Amino acid sequence: MLDKLFQLSERGTTVKTEILAGITTFITMAYILFLAPNILSLAGMDKDAVLIATALGGGLVTIAMGLFVNYPIALAPGVGLLAFYSFTVVLGMGVSWQTALGAVFISGLVFLVLTLTSIRQMIVEGIPASMKVAITVGIGLFIAIIGLKLSGLMAISISLSPNSLGQVVQTHGNLVPPASEALLTLGNLHNGETLLALFSLIFTALLMARKIQGSLLIGVVVTTIVSYATGLSTMPENFTVLAVPDFSKAAFLQLDIPGALHMGLITIIFSFTFVELFDSMGTLIGTATEAKIADPKSGKFPGLGKAMTVDAIGVSTGALLGTSTITAFVESAAGVGAGGRTGLTAVTTGVLFLICLFLAPIVSLVPNAATSPVLIIVGALMLGAIRNIDFDDWTEGFPAFLVIVLMPFTYSIANGISAGLIAYPLLKIIAGRAKEVNWIMYVLAVLVIIRYVFF
């Protein structure tokens, strides 16, 4: 039954592989169950309410992606949009969290209209092959940067001048230091947790070199055991396996849609929609490509329209439940790297999210040192697609380069794609090859420029 429902044989996978892949995806993105409450609580929201919304929303929408689309893609509140929601909209603009949820809900409706009218699909199909590959590679590097950061293997060294220190005081800590005063460096290898992450990275890489099934998951489990055995991690006080969620604190249907329709929030709604459009597009294309879902002849993705519909519905669903934008998660690539090829991977991940409504304490036992190396390894796996980019053709290679480097180094999938959307048609025009560009690329380039100039 599962084979027929999820086309397991057709995609060259098994139930065991899919379930292991789903568990792997969940473990690498389970941090969102704790990150989302921490960030949104700064906006005045109750942590328990956000945890309920995150687990419930992420679980239901991810299961929908698996059952109705058969894609191995998981969804949850996006990290970048969580920060935008709390720091820019609520704290920065003084908007209530209820009104901000209303803006998220409306952006989801706009997103759904773009999907149902096939505009999103036209955008994806109009993007050239080199850009699609670049998106995959860029997401791989983006994942690796996240992994390096969470593991402690990468650090930011800041040495502020007296003038910069004065500006820190005047702006209450809101300062972008000059390039000469902030550097990316190697982390502290004398730190126990960093060494544990390094052990996990090497151990997991060795397992993969031996082509051991479930290498990523084995690496996480072994590293977690080592962490507690060496005293780097300790069991929480009064630890219990089961924790019944307090639904009385849930923020269901507490969004303020009329307030969000105020003209002053049009920019916010546009920003939510814009970032979600390119973040989700990049994740969907990158992950689906890595999972080899694309038709080898046409290069198109069967079911992409349905995937985008579920993704769009997830945006508004998150707002109704009481959390920021639910979107396709870049960590889905971890499950694909573990062999996930079908919706059974997503269903497994979604079920685990729902279970975590009651088993949240167990999720908290897994340290960052165990999950972050998974992201680094997946990034390495996705980098292999770069061989399909023709760097001898500057009009193809340079836009792809911008996509690849700007995603990780500006910490935004949307920024990378936006740069490519502008550079690709511009270089083609300059080279006298404008006819090679799909008309939708010109439209997107103009919209991107308008977004960065006016919004």
Side-chain angles (χ1 to χ4, degrees), residues 69 71 115-116 120-121 301-310:
V69 188
Y71 273 22
T115 302
L116 296 178
R120 274 182 84 190
Q121 293 89 317
F301 300 91
L304 183 61
K306 291 192 292 184
M308 289 181 170
T309 300
V310 171

Side-chain angles (χ1 to χ4, degrees), residues 48-63:
D48 290 336
V50 177
L51 175 59
I52 291 171
T54 301
L56 189 59
L60 293 177
V61 179
T62 299
I63 289 173

Side-chain angles (χ1 to χ4, degrees), residues 206-429:
L206 292 176
L207 291 177
M208 294 188 68
R210 295 291 299 176
K211 298 183 179 180
I212 295 175
Q213 189 73 13
S215 296
L216 297 175
L217 182 59
I218 293 172
V220 169
V221 173
V222 170
T223 304
T224 300
I225 293 173
V226 171
S227 181
Y228 285 91
T230 57
L232 290 173
S233 297
T234 57
M235 294 290 289
E237 294 184 8
N238 302 320
F239 174 78
T240 57
V241 175
L242 291 175
V244 180
D246 186 359
F247 285 99
S248 66
K249 294 182 177 180
F252 299 159
L253 304 178
Q254 292 189 26
L255 64 169
D256 179 10
I257 297 176
L261 289 173
H262 189 276
M263 287 301 294
L265 294 185
I266 294 299
T267 299
I268 297 173
I269 294 171
F270 179 86
S271 296
F272 273 126
T273 304
F274 180 89
V275 176
E276 165 65 10
L277 173 65
F278 291 117
D279 269 16
S280 66
M281 183 176 70
T283 301
L284 286 172
I285 292 176
T287 307
T289 300
E290 191 69 16
K292 297 178 174 60
I293 293 175
D295 185 287
K297 294 182 179 179
S298 66
K300 296 182 179 180
F301 300 91
L304 183 61
K306 291 192 292 184
M308 289 181 170
T309 300
V310 171
D311 181 56
I313 292 174
V315 177
S316 294
T317 299
L320 291 172
L321 293 175
T323 188
S324 182
T325 306
I326 289 179
T327 183
F329 239 65
V330 71
E331 282 83 355
S332 300
V336 173
R341 296 292 180 269
T342 75
L344 183 55
T345 293
V347 170
T348 301
T349 303
V351 169
L352 290 173
F353 263 103
L354 295 180
I355 291 175
C356 278
L357 284 168
F358 306 92
L359 298 177
I362 292 181
V363 178
S364 66
L365 295 180
V366 181
N368 279 339
T371 58
S372 51
V374 174
L375 301 178
I376 299 172
I377 289 176
V378 170
L381 293 172
M382 296 183 73
L383 191 65
I386 199 171
R387 69 173 69 92
N388 298 316
I389 299 175
D390 183 10
F391 283 102
D392 291 329
D393 184 346
W394 188 246
T395 65
E396 298 284 338
F398 186 66
F401 167 77
L402 291 178
V403 172
I404 292 169
V405 299
L406 288 180
M407 279 191 192
F409 297 126
T410 66
Y411 222 68
S412 168
I413 294 174
N415 285 344
I417 296 178
S418 297
L421 290 175
I422 295 173
Y424 189 88
L426 179 61
L427 290 180
K428 290 292 185 180
I429 292 172

Side-chain angles (χ1 to χ4, degrees), residues 171-235:
T171 60
H172 303 287
N174 186 18
L175 171 73
V176 178
S180 60
E181 298 178 11
L183 299 173
L184 291 178
T185 63
L186 182 66
N188 181 10
L189 296 183
H190 295 287
N191 180 278
E193 292 184 358
T194 303
L195 285 175
L196 180 62
L198 182 59
F199 158 78
S200 180
L201 180 62
I202 296 173
F203 176 72
T204 306
L206 292 176
L207 291 177
M208 294 188 68
R210 295 291 299 176
K211 298 183 179 180
I212 295 175
Q213 189 73 13
S215 296
L216 297 175
L217 182 59
I218 293 172
V220 169
V221 173
V222 170
T223 304
T224 300
I225 293 173
V226 171
S227 181
Y228 285 91
T230 57
L232 290 173
S233 297
T234 57
M235 294 290 289

